[in-house]
């Protein structure tokens, strides 16, 4: 836990008072913001001139240096920084890959092989991109689970949660489009599964599938549209990330106790306390990323995708990448294509509706014993769905996918609304500083 040497407001000598208006008092009470920056004002004349006309420097200092954060955040809050780094790696490596990629069914696979074997450092850039996707999804899933555990979706952070869920859906769309681009066996047949699922939608299904394909069959038009979708969605994700961060800075960060900030004593400035904490976490994150890239580059990829797409040869089992596996298991949990699609999409919809499905006034699972156990079972169900999604939908794995899918919807639609009536929460601390240890 990050600490500061004293309990008075950062940047203000002990005993000094500042006259505040009613709006300022309310802001301090709610967010614990100190209206005086802990850092000296910008002194260079050029910086002052620039900032007076375009206040980027003062804005950055206010939002990323002096910004008051709850003093008890643990290392699970580092995953926001991890996701930013992973997204930056994906964007930069993707731009370099796009320079060498050929977006045709005849040339896509060969261009990817050329990147791997002939382009200088092409293997490294592609490994960064492929490994970056896996690291990004791992970070997103942990980040989402942390938000569920500590109740970060509750008022006043509903929009923060919704922008996060929109980001998750957009990243899935971008990742699926990128999965298709190499035009390997799994890429091609994964796209076949997706178009077949779309065609099952009543009334507009065949129109949607035809629009995605660009014609009656998969071909150059399909790959071109997927290529454009991948690129556009990747940069749209950046725009939504900005909205997500803005929503976070408006409402302030949640914390492990789930108790709102009540004053400056509950906060510490973002820099240097959390910049140093994020820096340590990022060092460990980058080391894990490096191990994946340099020592285990094929650990999370499918061997069949190193075979060029062949429409005349159906693989014995069409498996997704690991990060799609839980939702793929839900898709295959029922024999109906339309039913599977409704369940797969519905699993994300109910996740997005959590702020309105959970009426409990207590945020953190630390103080909700039954909720904590139910949420841990949800985590087990998600992992089980992931394992089932990577195997053929038969025998015990089909049973596991159905049971885990049933619990997923039971948790969100039944348990969450009823738990406040069944459990007695533990006593909450009066303030963050009281429960920080």
């Amino acid at each position: 836990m990050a600490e500061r040497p004293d309990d008075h407001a950062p940047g203000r000598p002990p005993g000094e008072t500042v006259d505040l208006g009613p709006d300022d008092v309310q802001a301090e009470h709610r967010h614990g913001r100190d209206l005086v920056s802990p850092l000296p004002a910008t002194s260079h004349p050029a910086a002052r001139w620039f900032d007076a006309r375009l206040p980027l420097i003062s804005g950055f200092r206010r939002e990323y240096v002096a910004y008051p954060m709850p003093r008890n955040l643990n290392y699970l809050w580092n995953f926001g920084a991890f996701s930013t780094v992973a997204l930056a790696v994906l964007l930069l490596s993707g731009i370099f890959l796009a320079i060498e990629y050929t977006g045709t069914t005849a040339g896509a696979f060969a261009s990817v092989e050329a990147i791997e074997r002939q382009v200088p450092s092409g293997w490294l850039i592609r490994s960064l991109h492929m490994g970056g996707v896996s690291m990004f999804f791992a970070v997103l899933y942990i980040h989402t689970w942390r938000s569920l555990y500590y109740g970060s979706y509750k008022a006043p952070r509903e929009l923060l949660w919704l922008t996060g869920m929109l980001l998750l859906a957009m990243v899935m769309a971008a990742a699926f489009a990128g999965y298709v681009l190499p035009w390997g066996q799994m890429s091609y047949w994964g796209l076949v599964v997706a178009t077949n699922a779309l065609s099952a939608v009543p009334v507009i299904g065949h129109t949607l599938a035809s629009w995605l394909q660009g014609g009656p069959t998969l071909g150059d038009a399909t790959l071109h549209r997927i290529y454009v979708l991948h690129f556009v969605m990747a940069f749209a994700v950046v725009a939504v990330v900005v909205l997500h961060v803005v929503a976070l800075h408006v409402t302030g960060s949640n914390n492990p106790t789930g108790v709102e900030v009540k004053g400056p004593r509950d906060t510490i400035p973002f820099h240097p306390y959390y910049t140093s904490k994020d820096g340590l976490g990022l060092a460990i994150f980058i080391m894990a990323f490096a191990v994946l890239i340099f020592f285990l580059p094929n650990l999370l990829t499918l061997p069949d995708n190193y075979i060029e797409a062949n429409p005349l040869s159906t693989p014995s089992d069409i498996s997704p990448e690991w990060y799609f596996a839980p939702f793929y298991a839900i898709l295959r949990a029922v024999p109906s294509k339309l039913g599977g699609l409704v369940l797969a999409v519905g699993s994300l919809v109910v996740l997005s509706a959590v702020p309105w499905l959970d009426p409990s006034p207590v945020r953190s699972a630390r103080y909700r014993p039954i909720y904590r156990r139910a949420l841990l079972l949800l985590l087990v169900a998600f992992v089980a769905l992931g394992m089932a999604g990577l195997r053929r939908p038969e025998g015990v794995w089909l049973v596991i996918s159905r049971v885990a899918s049933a619990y997923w919807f039971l948790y969100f639609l039944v348990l969450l609304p009823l738990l406040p009536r069944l459990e007695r929460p533990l006593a909450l601390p009066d303030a963050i500083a009281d429960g920080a240890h």
Side-chain angles (χ1 to χ4, degrees):
M1 182 197 68
E3 293 285 355
R4 64 180 177 186
D6 52 47
D7 281 331
H8 66 80
R12 184 186 302 166
E16 180 179 333
T17 61
V18 175
D19 293 331
L20 302 176
D23 293 338
D24 296 331
V25 171
Q26 184 179 6
E28 274 213 348
H29 177 73
R30 181 173 179 181
H31 300 298
R33 296 174 186 263
D34 188 357
L35 303 183
V36 179
S37 172
L39 297 179
T42 302
S43 57
H44 195 281
R48 289 203 306 270
W49 179 90
F50 179 85
D51 204 51
R53 290 152 180 82
L54 187 63
L56 294 180
I57 299 173
S58 60
F60 179 82
R61 289 159 60 87
R62 181 177 62 253
E63 298 298 333
Y64 292 99
V65 177
Y67 187 81
M69 299 285 290
R71 64 185 301 164
N72 63 335
L73 301 187
N74 58 38
Y75 279 99
L76 287 175
W77 264 261
N78 288 42
F79 282 81
F82 298 168
S83 63
T84 303
V85 171
L87 179 59
V89 169
L90 286 173
L91 289 173
L92 291 174
S93 59
I95 290 170
F96 284 106
L97 290 175
I99 295 172
E100 300 290 340
Y101 178 75
T102 302
T104 64
T105 55
F109 188 82
S111 68
V112 172
E113 288 293 297
I115 290 170
E116 290 270 15
R117 302 171 187 274
Q118 299 173 15
V119 176
S121 300
W123 65 271
L124 175 60
I125 295 172
R126 185 157 188 257
S127 293
L128 283 170
H129 201 68
M130 294 171 63
V133 176
S134 289
M135 295 295 286
F136 194 29
F137 269 98
V139 166
L140 287 179
Y141 287 147
I142 294 173
H143 190 60
T144 303
W145 188 83
R146 185 268 293 168
S147 299
L148 288 172
Y149 189 86
Y150 292 116
S152 299
Y153 52 84
K154 290 181 176 290
R157 300 180 179 88
E158 298 95 335
L159 278 179
L160 179 63
W161 177 259
L162 288 179
T163 54
M165 290 298 100
L166 178 60
L167 273 174
L168 180 60
M170 293 173 67
V171 168
M172 285 182 171
F176 178 76
Y179 174 66
V180 171
L181 292 181
W183 211 241
Q185 271 288 75
M186 283 299 164
S187 297
Y188 177 86
W189 289 101
L191 183 57
V192 169
V193 170
T195 53
N196 286 342
L198 274 180
S199 65
V201 177
V203 183
I204 62 172
H206 289 287
T207 302
L208 289 174
S210 178
W211 179 85
L212 180 62
Q213 293 177 176
T217 59
L218 301 180
D220 284 350
T222 311
L223 195 56
H224 181 71
R225 293 182 181 204
I226 293 292
Y227 190 24
V228 172
L229 174 66
H230 182 61
F231 231 81
V232 170
M233 193 63 70
F235 287 97
V237 164
V238 176
V240 180
V241 166
V242 172
L243 290 177
H244 189 64
V245 173
V246 169
L248 172 65
H249 280 241
V250 168
T251 60
S253 179
N254 187 35
N255 64 89
T257 64
V259 177
E260 286 292 342
V261 168
K262 292 183 172 61
R265 186 170 176 267
D266 289 337
T267 65
I268 52 177
F270 184 77
H271 176 78
Y273 298 100
Y274 286 119
T275 50
S276 58
K277 195 169 187 175
D278 282 347
L280 175 60
L282 282 171
I284 298 172
F285 175 77
I286 290 171
M287 285 191 289
F289 198 172
V291 169
L292 181 65
I293 296 303
F294 293 109
F295 296 98
L296 304 168
N298 297 315
L299 176 66
L300 302 175
T301 59
L302 300 169
D304 280 359
N305 224 31
Y306 288 98
I307 303 171
E308 189 171 3
N310 183 357
L312 302 179
S313 175
T314 307
S316 58
D317 183 33
I318 301 173
S319 298
E321 295 287 353
W322 72 268
Y323 39 81
F324 290 134
F327 304 99
Y328 190 55
I330 295 175
L331 180 72
R332 300 188 302 177
V334 294
S336 165
K337 286 195 296 184
L338 177 59
L341 181 62
V342 169
L343 288 179
V345 174
S347 64
L348 287 173
V349 172
V350 296
L351 183 61
S352 302
V354 164
W356 297 274
L357 294 174
D358 182 6
S360 174
V362 179
R363 291 191 179 95
S364 178
R366 286 184 176 183
Y367 305 98
R368 301 180 62 186
I370 301 179
Y371 171 80
R372 182 168 62 247
R373 293 177 176 84
L375 187 60
L376 290 175
L377 280 177
L378 185 73
L379 178 62
V380 171
F382 187 76
V383 173
L385 284 169
M387 296 172 64
L390 296 174
R391 288 157 176 88
R392 294 177 65 87
E394 57 188 21
V396 66
W397 291 112
L398 180 59
V399 174
I400 289 174
S401 64
R402 288 176 173 174
V403 171
S405 299
Y407 182 75
W408 181 274
F409 288 98
L410 177 71
Y411 173 84
F412 288 108
L413 299 177
V414 179
L415 291 181
L416 270 187
L418 291 180
L419 275 180
R421 304 178 184 179
L422 302 176
E423 70 178 351
R424 177 178 296 178
L426 304 178
L428 293 170
D430 294 329
I432 291 174
D434 297 332
H437 296 285

